[in-house]
């Protein structure tokens, strides 16, 4: 059995920032980072538009409380206000930290960090590195980890979270290169395992965003919070779903329907902010235009037009968006509009944690030895709808905080008592069973079927019966996965089909929890829109939902309260009210 004081799972922004905080502040601790892909291939590297902080470089009227208010309002009042306070108050300092680590931000003429407009933010506060911000930040974080000599388990896949006797003790891990299985124990474990976009058939997320961490938590008997809130980004390139950053609208792009109208003006909820309305509203409007037959040529997409910005601005401010259009569709946005439609982008929900990143169980008690941060966590700063550029911020603020908290937490904490043998044997048996099963169902068609089911039954618009049918169908499909799968590759070394089969288990588990949570919330709030319950219902649903699997392996739901602490500081702004823009 291997052991480390602290194990961080995930090499994206949240995991790397946490591991770095431990290496910097607690040099005596043995910290290891595990990642199923090379850390700089984590989805964070694809983040484009930027990271929010009230630096006041462009807009002297901005401050953290205004950033906090925009975030809470954007969340449709479901965010925990104590966590939002930590997020927005810490933001300017974490940007300065990143700069000191070597991150190359875009600049104003006077040399200060530039800031651009983003949807739902009332001030220009999004810092950026052209439209390749995630790339700029992640590369510096990972370089710094190499500099500190942090142990990295490169391309190791976590198979199981060991949670016994009321504490988290370790992990079961598969080395993808050799097929070897190991049990690891630690005094504390941090999950920073990212999102689950691949549960759906059209997503901006990378292939590794399969919600593994979420599934492992559920399988260990822990709940997931607010999983019904799936963010659809308004502008996925049609038909592939690859992201065209919100920075493009931040720089002034128009959304046009088949009649050439800027249709955002036709909806009362978006006629003020137009293309810079929050994502839930913009995505719904695009879906409505398409439904009404006003997609381009009556089809499944609208146009995103930047021609009026001019070549110089396009090339300097949004070069990546232009490259993507040319590379994937052969369209140069200097000369022609880009076809776009909403694409699954981000998970507002996740593993519930305290503001100090410690994971909470179903009774809202902290789980000893277990922490989570970044997209897989639900601390909750985004509530029912995340504002663009607040996620990179969450990863950096709560990644750093998690590292600092864990460093202090493990001082004086002994290694847990753990017998690795049963875990090792079970994992060996599970892998052998997957490899040797002689069913008739093939992996990739099963995955596509699941993704299509989720997209149809739990998309932008939802309804009780369609959700119930979806849950039933997903469970039926899961039984085929469990009993009737056949893999073509039966080897243990770099078996990508085996990895995909393990990831498919995650997609099933996460999909079930999303459907059950969406069915239980009989109201419309943020990204969760119920056609059979079109209004927000604070008296019953101003609560976080919890989805979990009971001892009979059935999905169940319950709720827990929302923290409204900023309301006391500024009741006029923070008391829940109707969300208008
Ligand atoms: C195209 C795109 C553009 C975006 N642009 C922006 C933006 O401009 N601004 C913004 O604020 N947000 C943006 N976002 C959102 C933001 O990038 C993500 O929410 C954030 O980067 C997630 O970081 P993370 O560290 O939580 O996870 P990730 O970066 O997704 O990393 C997850 C890590 O977990 C590891 N992992 C997962 N499962 C396992 C397992 N079973 N075993 C071992 N390792 C595992 C992976 O190897 C990986 O290293 C964007 C997202 C996308 C998809």
């Amino acid at each position: 059995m291997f052991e480390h004081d602290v194990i961080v799972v995930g090499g994206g922004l949240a995991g790397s920032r946490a591991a770095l905080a431990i290496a910097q502040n607690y040099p005596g601790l043995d910290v290891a980072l595990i990642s199923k892909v090379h850390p700089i291939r984590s989805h964070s590297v694809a983040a484009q538009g930027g990271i929010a902080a009230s630096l006041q470089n462009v807009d002297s009227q901005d401050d953290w409380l205004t950033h906090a208010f925009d975030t809470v309002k954007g969340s449709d009042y479901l965010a925990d206000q104590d966590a939002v306070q930590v997020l927005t108050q810490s933001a300017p300092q974490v940007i300065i930290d990143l700069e000191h680590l070597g991150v190359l931000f875009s600049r104003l003429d006077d040399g200060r960090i530039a800031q651009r407009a983003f949807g739902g933010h009332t001030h220009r506060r999004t810092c950026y590195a052209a439209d390749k911000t995630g790339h700029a930040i992640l590369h510096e974080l990972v370089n710094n980890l190499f500099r500190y000599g942090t142990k990295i388990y490169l391309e190791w896949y976590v198979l199981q979270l060991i949670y016994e006797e009321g504490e988290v003790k370790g992990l079961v891990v598969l080395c993808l290169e050799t097929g070897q299985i190991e049990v690891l124990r630690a005094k504390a474990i941090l999950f920073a395992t990212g999102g689950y976009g691949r549960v759906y058939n059209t997503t901006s997320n990378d292939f590794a965003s399969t919600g593994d961490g979420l599934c492992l938590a559920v399988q260990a008997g822990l709940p997931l919070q607010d999983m019904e809130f799936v963010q659809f980004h308004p502008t996925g390139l049609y038909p592939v779903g690859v992201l065209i950053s919100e920075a493009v609208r931040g720089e002034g792009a128009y959304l046009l329907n088949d009649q050439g109208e800027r249709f955002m003006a036709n909806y009362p909820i978006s006629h003020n902010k137009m293309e810079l309305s929050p994502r839930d509203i913009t995505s719904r409007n695009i879906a409505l235009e398409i439904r009404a037959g006003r997609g381009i040529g009556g089809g499944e997409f609208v146009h995103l037009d930047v021609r009026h910005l001019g070549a110089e601005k396009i090339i300097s401010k949004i070069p990546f968006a232009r490259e993507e259009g040319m590379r994937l569709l052969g369209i140069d946005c200097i000369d022609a509009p880009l076809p776009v439609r909403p694409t699954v982008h981000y998970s507002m929900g996740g593993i519930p944690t305290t503001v100090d990143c410690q994971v909470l169980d179903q009774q809202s008690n902290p789980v000893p030895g277990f922490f989570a941060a970044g997209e897989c966590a639900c601390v909750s700063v985004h509530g029912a709808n995340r504002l663009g550029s607040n996620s990179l911020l969450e990863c950096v603020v709560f990644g750093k905080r998690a590292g600092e908290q864990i460093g202090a937490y493990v001082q004086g904490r002994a290694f847990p008592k753990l017998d690795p043998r049963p875990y090792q044997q079970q994992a060996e048996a599970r892998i052998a069973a997957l490899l040797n099963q002689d069913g008739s169902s093939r992996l990739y068609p099963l995955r596509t079927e699941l993704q299509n089911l989720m997209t149809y039954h739990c998309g932008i618009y939802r309804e009780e019966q369609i959700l119930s049918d979806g849950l039933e169908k997903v469970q039926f499909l899961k039984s085929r996965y469990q009993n009737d799968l056949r893999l073509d590759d039966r080897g243990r070394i770099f078996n990508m089909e085996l990895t995909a089969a393990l990831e498919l288990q995650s997609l099933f588990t996460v999909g079930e929890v999303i459907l059950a949570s969406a069915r239980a919330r009989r109201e419309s709030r943020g990204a969760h829109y119920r056609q059979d319950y079109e209004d927000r219902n604070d008296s019953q649903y101003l609560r976080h939902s919890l989805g979990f699997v009971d001892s009979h392996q059935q999905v169940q739901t319950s709720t827990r309260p929302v923290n409204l602490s900023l309301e006391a500081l500024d009741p006029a702004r923070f008391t829940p009210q109707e969300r208008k823009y």
Side-chain angles (χ1 to χ4, degrees):
M1 179 166 59
F2 299 167
E3 60 186 37
H4 299 280
D5 291 321
V6 183
I7 299 175
V8 174
V9 184
L13 237 61
S16 300
R17 188 65 192 86
L20 188 60
I22 298 172
Q24 286 173 325
N25 298 307
Y26 297 93
L29 287 180
D30 167 16
V31 51
L33 187 144
I34 303 178
S35 182
K36 68 176 176 178
V37 300
H38 189 289
I40 56 168
R41 296 193 59 217
S42 304
H43 187 58
S44 294
V45 84
Q48 303 175 5
I51 174 165
S54 54
L55 286 179
Q56 303 177 329
N57 287 355
V58 175
D59 194 336
S60 59
Q61 303 301 307
D62 201 10
D63 58 23
W64 76 264
L65 200 60
T66 310
H67 185 185
F69 172 65
D70 293 344
T71 302
V72 167
K73 181 177 170 187
S75 82
D76 224 345
Y77 297 90
L78 197 72
D80 281 324
Q81 298 184 359
D82 54 345
V84 172
Q85 179 168 358
V86 170
L87 179 85
T88 52
Q89 261 181 331
S90 320
Q93 186 56 48
V94 299
I95 300 292
I96 292 166
D97 290 346
L98 289 177
E99 162 135 306
H100 290 173
L101 285 170
V103 175
L104 290 171
F105 286 107
S106 294
R107 302 280 159 177
L108 299 170
D109 288 342
D110 66 7
R112 289 176 305 152
I113 294 174
Q115 298 188 278
R116 61 165 47 124
F118 243 71
H121 291 278
T122 51
H123 295 279
R124 287 172 64 183
R125 63 167 74 101
T126 297
C127 312
Y128 57 93
D131 53 0
K132 303 180 181 182
T133 312
H135 187 276
I137 301 176
L138 189 62
H139 276 250
E140 276 324 321
L141 290 179
V142 175
N143 278 342
N144 276 280
L145 284 181
F146 288 137
R147 186 156 72 89
Y148 279 93
T150 302
K151 160 86 184 162
I152 299 180
Y153 288 85
L154 208 61
E155 299 185 322
W156 286 64
Y157 186 101
V158 178
L159 292 169
Q160 190 182 356
L161 174 72
I162 301 176
Y163 177 38
E164 58 169 41
E165 296 169 324
E167 64 175 326
V168 161
K169 298 182 172 180
L171 300 166
V172 185
V173 186
L174 171 73
C175 174
L176 299 179
E177 186 182 350
T178 61
Q180 150 203 10
I181 290 172
E182 289 292 340
V183 175
L184 276 70
R185 81 174 169 164
K187 296 173 186 170
I189 288 173
L190 172 72
F191 268 18
T193 50
Y196 57 65
R198 291 283 152 189
V199 170
Y200 286 84
N201 67 14
T202 305
T203 176
S204 66
N205 287 190
D206 70 341
F207 284 93
S209 292
T210 50
D212 301 344
L214 305 175
C215 169
L216 297 176
V218 169
Q219 285 177 334
L222 293 165
L224 299 180
Q225 181 168 291
D226 294 340
M227 290 296 285
E228 61 275 36
F229 300 105
V230 178
Q231 180 162 78
F232 285 78
H233 192 291
T235 58
L237 203 58
Y238 177 83
V240 278
V242 162
L243 189 75
I244 297 297
S245 171
E246 188 166 319
V248 175
R249 280 170 292 133
E251 296 296 342
Y254 298 152
L255 282 168
L256 304 174
N257 63 15
D258 195 42
Q259 282 130 40
E261 283 177 313
R262 287 178 71 191
F263 56 83
M264 296 294 282
N266 302 338
Y267 297 88
I269 193 160
S270 61
H271 73 262
N272 283 330
K273 296 281 176 194
M274 295 294 288
E275 283 84 358
L276 286 178
S277 299
R279 291 177 175 175
D280 52 342
I281 293 169
T282 311
S283 289
R284 273 198 292 279
N285 289 356
I286 294 175
L288 286 174
E289 291 294 309
I290 291 172
R291 272 190 185 188
R294 291 190 294 272
I296 306 301
E300 292 290 309
F301 62 91
V302 296
H303 272 153
L304 184 70
D305 196 353
V306 291
R307 286 174 294 179
H308 57 285
L309 300 180
E312 197 186 325
K313 188 164 180 186
I314 293 171
I315 291 166
S316 67
K317 293 291 172 77
I318 48 171
F320 189 60
R322 177 169 177 244
E323 280 166 34
E324 291 292 77
M326 293 199 293
R327 186 173 67 86
L328 295 163
L329 300 178
I331 297 177
D332 184 346
C333 62
I334 292 176
D335 306 320
L338 294 169
V340 294
R341 71 164 172 194
T343 185
V344 167
H345 184 56
Y346 183 80
S347 162
M348 268 74 75
I351 305 169
T353 71
T354 66
V355 284
D356 291 330
C357 309
Q358 194 166 0
V359 173
L360 295 169
D361 68 11
Q362 229 165 282
Q363 287 73 39
S364 298
N365 297 316
V367 177
F370 194 29
F371 295 77
E375 189 168 339
C376 75
C378 184
V379 56
S380 128
V381 287
H382 311 301
N385 174 61
R386 166 175 82 89
L387 296 187
S389 71
N390 264 354
S391 168
L392 292 184
L393 180 63
E394 176 192 13
C395 289
V396 180
V397 167
F398 288 96
K400 181 179 177 209
R401 193 172 170 93
E404 290 166 355
Q405 294 293 329
I406 292 171
Y409 179 85
V410 298
Q411 302 298 318
R413 188 174 156 86
F415 274 103
K417 285 201 176 56
L418 175 62
D419 177 1
R421 285 166 302 181
Y423 291 102
Q424 178 99 28
Q425 282 159 9
Q426 280 162 21
E428 296 285 358
R430 177 179 167 204
I431 298 297
L434 256 178
L435 291 176
N436 298 325
Q437 199 167 311
D438 263 325
S440 59
S441 297
R442 292 309 168 101
L443 180 72
Y444 298 110
L446 267 185
R447 187 174 72 185
T448 305
E449 226 177 301
L450 170 68
Q451 291 165 331
N452 289 343
L453 275 178
M454 288 300 298
T455 306
Y456 177 77
H457 288 274
C458 202
I460 294 183
Y461 291 96
R462 297 158 176 195
E463 234 177 81
E464 188 91 10
Q465 194 55 47
I466 297 178
L467 290 164
S468 289
D469 292 348
L471 189 55
E472 215 170 281
K473 289 181 190 167
V474 166
Q475 285 166 342
F476 177 72
L477 202 62
K478 190 169 87 173
S479 66
R480 267 179 55 202
Y481 165 83
Q482 285 164 339
N483 305 314
D484 187 43
L485 189 65
R486 179 196 169 85
L487 301 186
D488 291 317
D489 183 349
R490 300 193 164 199
R492 289 283 288 256
I493 294 172
F494 268 129
N495 183 341
M496 304 308 283
E497 200 187 13
L498 174 65
T499 312
L502 295 167
E503 290 174 336
L504 185 52
Q505 169 71 59
S506 307
L507 300 181
F508 274 115
T509 305
V510 171
E512 274 183 272
V513 178
I514 294 174
L515 280 161
S517 308
R519 188 175 59 179
R521 187 175 286 275
R522 292 183 167 145
E523 65 157 356
S524 293
R525 183 187 297 271
H528 175 66
Y529 198 88
R530 290 279 303 246
Q531 289 176 298
D532 41 358
Y533 300 93
E534 290 189 309
D535 295 324
R536 199 177 85 191
N537 176 351
D538 283 348
S539 63
Q540 269 180 286
Y541 292 105
L542 186 58
R543 295 179 70 80
H544 296 296
S545 43
L546 297 178
F548 53 94
V549 170
D550 65 17
S551 52
H552 308 289
Q553 295 305 302
Q554 296 301 311
V555 223
Q556 305 288 354
T557 57
S558 64
T559 66
R560 58 188 290 265
V562 173
N563 177 298
L564 298 173
S565 53
L566 284 171
E567 196 182 331
L569 193 71
D570 188 350
R573 286 210 265 192
F574 288 95
T575 304
Q577 49 200 284
E578 193 193 340
R579 185 164 161 249
K580 289 196 209 133
Y581 284 93

